[in-house]
Amino acid sequence: MTVAAAKIWLKDGREKSLRRKHPWVFSGSIQRVDDAPAPGATVEIVASTGEFLALAAFSPESQIRARVWTFDRNEHIDAAWFRTRLARAIESRRKLGMLDPSGACRLVFAESDGLPGLIVDRYGDYLVCQFLSAGADAWRTVIVDSLLGLCSPRGVFERSEGGARHKEGLASERRTLTGDPPPAELEIEANGVRQVVDIAGGQKTGAYLDQQRNRWRVAAYASGAEMLDAFAYTGGFSFACLHRGAARAALIDSSADALRLAERDAVRNGVADRCRFVVASVGDELRRLKESGQRYDLVVLDPPKFVHSAEQINAGSRGYKDINRVGLQLVREGGVLATFSCSGHVDAALFQKIVAGAALDSGRTAQILERLSQPP
Ligand code: SAH
């Protein structure tokens, strides 16, 4: 028996973004929802004329009221469909050479992989899932079963947490879903550097995989450098740079837990005597270092998201400018600042303006060496 999907009727003219394959339906563009679908249920999105636009997952609690699974009316959203999408995501990582068994990578990146609300990170033999939308949450069993079939992991852990889940009306979940619980200190390795990941207790899914490649790009400037790794977390930038010949690294983070793991990694990588660990607020510590006359050949600034919504763009921009101004003042003549933002609301052009403004205010002359980004 086939059950017809409930329908969401859009207001006149509000179908344009879907025609351009934008995968979200905002509450304001909806005329009417038929049949009171359950959270996560598959719904048919139709234009005001009744024309089919997409099959989507219903999120009754969120302003993003539906997230598109497919624009193809011939597809059926079922277990086989999820397996196909997951296999496609994993295959693309294989082609990119990202499936080294002792390494880590983001296997599934939500909307980017046509699987809205679903993150799957792989750390060696373990998978970590985030079900961040009602749709991803509703299909969790099917998704985990498919992942077991496709990757044969030792264990699958869930870290469904954070603001996105809250906006979907879903509670946070942190637990082993199947197989072995992850070890408290899971070791992964990339480019000869060993890194301990705490899947259950660390930030996000355990590590910041989005910076993996950038650590090696920055390490290209590290030979002989005295470096400052601000917002270090477990020291990914420091260990890549020390591996490439940096002389010394000072790691600053407000999280004592993160720096405890960093200390373990320093020992594992044989560089403990070249590291200094400072549990402190970066803003305070940068100012203190500046006043004490300390300078570095390489300064890394990798802060958490400062801008969470459009309303925060001005305040967040001031925050970025502030740390970049002091960061630049800490760079020795001829040295390098590697500076990052992970705020989606701050685009590359705005970020460049902010850093350029910081350079002006700091009285430093700077040139742009390269622009870095997320890995593929
Ligand atoms: N550079 C890291 C990722 C940094 S994520 C890597 O490559 O893995 C941002 C980090 O900033 C987190 O570890 C968080 O604990 C830390 N943090 C957040 N606010 C901070 C503050 N005001 N001062 C110092 N650290 C802070």
Side-chain angles (χ1 to χ4, degrees):
M1 185 180 79
T2 316
V3 182
K7 271 189 190 157
I8 291 187
W9 295 75
L10 298 191
K11 292 177 183 161
D12 190 26
R14 302 304 281 272
E15 71 286 353
K16 292 198 185 86
S17 63
L18 280 114
R19 284 202 205 287
R20 298 171 66 86
K21 306 286 191 271
H22 193 290
W24 293 351
V25 177
F26 286 95
S27 58
S29 51
I30 294 174
Q31 175 72 43
R32 185 172 97 233
V33 179
D34 286 350
D35 303 334
T42 302
V43 291
E44 197 178 311
I45 312 294
V46 298
S48 59
T49 56
E51 180 197 349
F52 173 90
L53 294 168
L55 291 174
F58 187 51
S59 288
E61 300 278 325
S62 172
Q63 293 299 2
I64 305 171
R65 199 55 53 89
R67 294 173 190 244
V68 172
W69 294 126
T70 180
F71 295 98
D72 182 347
R73 71 175 320 160
N74 297 314
E75 290 187 5
H76 297 281
I77 308 308
D78 55 15
W81 184 91
F82 277 95
R83 193 183 165 92
T84 304
R85 284 269 160 121
L86 289 166
R88 187 176 78 181
I90 294 165
E91 173 60 11
S92 73
R93 275 58 173 183
R94 193 191 61 74
K95 283 192 183 146
L96 287 162
M98 294 167 83
L99 296 187
D100 168 17
S102 57
C105 73
R106 178 148 290 182
L107 272 187
V108 180
F109 195 9
E111 276 77 349
S112 308
D113 281 307
L115 288 162
L118 176 67
I119 302 278
V120 184
D121 286 345
R122 180 188 66 88
Y123 296 98
D125 292 337
Y126 289 85
L127 299 181
V128 187
C129 296
Q130 294 185 306
F131 304 100
L132 300 177
S133 64
D137 200 69
W139 287 96
R140 57 168 54 236
T141 309
V142 162
I143 290 166
V144 172
D145 281 351
S146 286
L147 289 169
L148 289 177
L150 291 164
C151 315
S152 313
R154 261 179 83 165
V156 182
F157 197 79
E158 173 172 16
R159 290 286 306 256
S160 299
E161 294 159 51
R165 196 151 155 106
H166 183 71
K167 285 181 189 159
E168 295 275 331
L170 300 165
S172 290
E173 300 284 1
R174 186 188 293 211
R175 58 186 167 175
T176 298
L177 292 175
T178 180
D180 294 351
E185 296 194 2
L186 175 71
E187 185 176 306
I188 58 168
E189 194 185 318
N191 299 319
V193 170
R194 297 159 71 184
Q195 183 190 353
V196 159
V197 178
D198 178 1
I199 285 177
Q203 297 181 17
K204 309 281 176 183
T205 64
Y208 290 90
L209 297 172
D210 52 346
Q211 290 290 42
Q212 264 185 327
R213 196 178 56 157
N214 291 339
R215 295 182 190 127
W216 296 98
R217 302 282 290 273
V218 171
Y221 301 97
S223 181
E226 274 186 67
M227 75 175 287
L228 181 66
D229 186 357
F231 306 99
Y233 189 47
T234 60
F237 278 100
S238 293
F239 301 126
C241 290
L242 289 164
H243 190 74
R244 287 281 167 84
R248 267 182 298 280
L251 293 75
I252 312 171
D253 203 283
S254 55
S255 162
D257 286 344
L259 288 185
R260 238 189 314 277
L261 283 184
E263 286 187 46
R264 301 275 246 285
D265 283 344
V267 173
R268 271 184 169 78
N269 288 293
V271 294
D273 55 334
R274 289 147 69 199
C275 295
R276 199 164 65 82
F277 304 91
V278 185
V279 179
S281 149
V282 162
D284 298 345
E285 184 63 11
L286 292 189
R287 266 175 271 282
R288 198 190 64 72
L289 291 167
K290 191 191 103 186
E291 269 142 39
S292 70
Q294 185 69 45
R295 297 294 179 265
Y296 299 88
D297 306 298
L298 173 61
V299 173
V300 179
L301 294 179
D302 185 20
K305 201 188 270 191
F306 283 179
V307 179
H308 296 268
S309 64
E311 300 79 62
Q312 295 177 354
I313 290 178
N314 284 338
S317 298
R318 280 195 295 279
Y320 283 123
K321 188 169 175 186
D322 220 37
I323 56 164
N324 277 280
R325 189 184 59 245
V326 189
L328 279 157
Q329 288 168 334
L330 286 169
V331 177
R332 275 196 191 112
E333 185 75 34
V336 172
L337 171 74
T339 184
F340 299 93
S341 154
C342 59
S343 300
H345 289 277
V346 176
D347 65 16
L350 175 56
F351 192 59
Q352 179 172 322
K353 272 192 202 134
I354 293 167
V355 179
L360 274 178
D361 286 5
S362 68
R364 304 301 303 267
T365 303
Q367 64 183 159
I368 298 170
L369 295 171
E370 16 178 346
R371 292 184 174 79
L372 304 178
S373 165
Q374 296 185 35

